[in-house]
Amino acid sequence: MVAEKETLSLNKCPDKMPKRTKLLAQQPLPVHQPHSLVSEGFTVKAMMKNSVVEIEKLDYHHYLPLFFDGLCEMTFPYEFFARQGIHDMLEHGGNKILPVLPQLIIPIKNALNLRNRQVICVTLKVLQHLVVSAEMVGKALVPYYRQILPVLNIFKNMNVNSGDGIDYSQQKRENIGDLIQETLEAFERYGGENAFINIKYVVPTYESCLLN
């Protein structure tokens, strides 16, 4: 069954960054220099060691959408903070992730609709992590395919490096065409029985990785 039409539009991401992302960018930098944050293996979990709140106890309804808003960031170190924060929170979020999923769709759509190859590659890696981050998240994403997948049709057959400077997994996965294929396959594997038909509806050139 094809997912019902969602109420949110597919308008292109505005030229200005989302409000919360701009607020994030206005915050003063930590005492560490940006290059040392990378070399020291900065993570939100490591940062939280000096805090009274553990990462697992963070308010996911507030902080996870905030980090996802940062997917539109292209300025170092803010794009690095956003990316690292997302992966750390997805890794430790467990059953807190699924209830927040509807709040993540607009930031994901905004990032993809920037049509910036580097941002798209980062967002695709986040989506691959998101679908395996907690039980039922993959299936819960199916109704949102019409909002987040259309722009991938433009880049699906482009096998060009994005120039992604820092990769969370420390692997050079920069081929945008391959990343799109990997992401769609992950959606199909974890999206349940209706995943393929809904992917195919939005991305007609996609062929099932399970039915063939």
Side-chain angles (χ1 to χ4, degrees):
M1 180 180 68
V2 177
E4 295 181 0
K5 184 176 181 180
E6 295 297 316
T7 57
L8 296 175
S9 67
L10 289 171
N11 294 332
K12 187 176 180 180
C13 183
D15 294 334
K16 295 182 179 180
M17 289 185 296
K19 184 176 181 181
R20 282 186 293 185
T21 305
K22 294 181 71 175
L23 290 175
L24 176 66
Q26 292 169 1
Q27 299 301 315
L29 287 174
V31 176
H32 302 74
Q33 293 298 318
H35 69 274
S36 67
L37 287 171
V38 179
S39 62
E40 292 172 8
F42 171 85
T43 64
V44 172
K45 190 170 182 65
M47 181 180 68
M48 296 302 292
K49 287 182 179 179
N50 296 323
S51 173
V52 295
V53 181
E54 297 177 2
I55 187 171
E56 293 85 355
K57 296 180 180 179
L58 287 174
D59 181 353
Y60 269 62
H61 281 279
H62 175 73
Y63 286 103
L64 193 57
L66 180 65
F67 279 114
F68 267 78
D69 275 342
L71 287 172
C72 283
E73 285 283 357
M74 289 178 276
T75 303
F76 184 85
Y78 305 110
E79 51 87 20
F80 171 72
F81 292 152
R83 188 187 328 183
Q84 191 69 51
I86 289 171
H87 286 293
D88 286 345
M89 293 191 74
L90 291 180
E91 182 179 351
H92 300 281
N95 59 12
K96 292 185 176 183
I97 296 172
L98 183 60
V100 186
L101 187 62
Q103 296 174 249
L104 308 180
I105 302 306
I106 289 179
I108 291 170
K109 185 182 70 171
N110 285 344
L112 293 174
N113 283 347
L114 281 177
R115 302 187 182 188
N116 176 283
R117 290 180 181 178
Q118 178 176 333
V119 172
I120 289 176
C121 285
V122 169
T123 305
L124 290 172
K125 294 170 190 177
V126 165
L127 287 172
Q128 291 179 27
H129 193 172
L130 179 63
V131 296
V132 299
S133 62
E135 189 175 357
M136 299 300 295
V137 169
K139 291 183 179 180
L141 271 172
V142 174
Y144 300 106
Y145 286 174
R146 290 194 184 188
Q147 296 180 54
I148 63 179
L149 296 185
V151 71
L152 301 187
N153 285 293
I154 301 172
F155 298 93
K156 187 174 183 294
N157 296 320
M158 292 185 180
N159 292 324
V160 180
N161 286 347
S162 70
D164 186 12
I166 305 171
D167 188 277
Y168 176 77
S169 63
Q170 297 182 341
Q171 297 176 359
K172 292 292 183 179
R173 296 169 57 225
E174 301 169 356
N175 190 306
I176 192 169
D178 288 347
L179 282 171
I180 289 173
Q181 183 66 25
E182 291 173 11
T183 304
L184 295 178
E185 289 179 0
F187 278 15
E188 182 181 3
R189 288 192 180 97
Y190 295 95
E193 60 183 9
N194 293 323
F196 172 67
I197 190 172
N198 281 278
I199 295 172
K200 188 74 171 177
Y201 184 85
V202 184
V203 186
T205 58
Y206 177 72
E207 298 297 333
S208 175
C209 64
L210 300 178
L211 301 178
N212 296 333

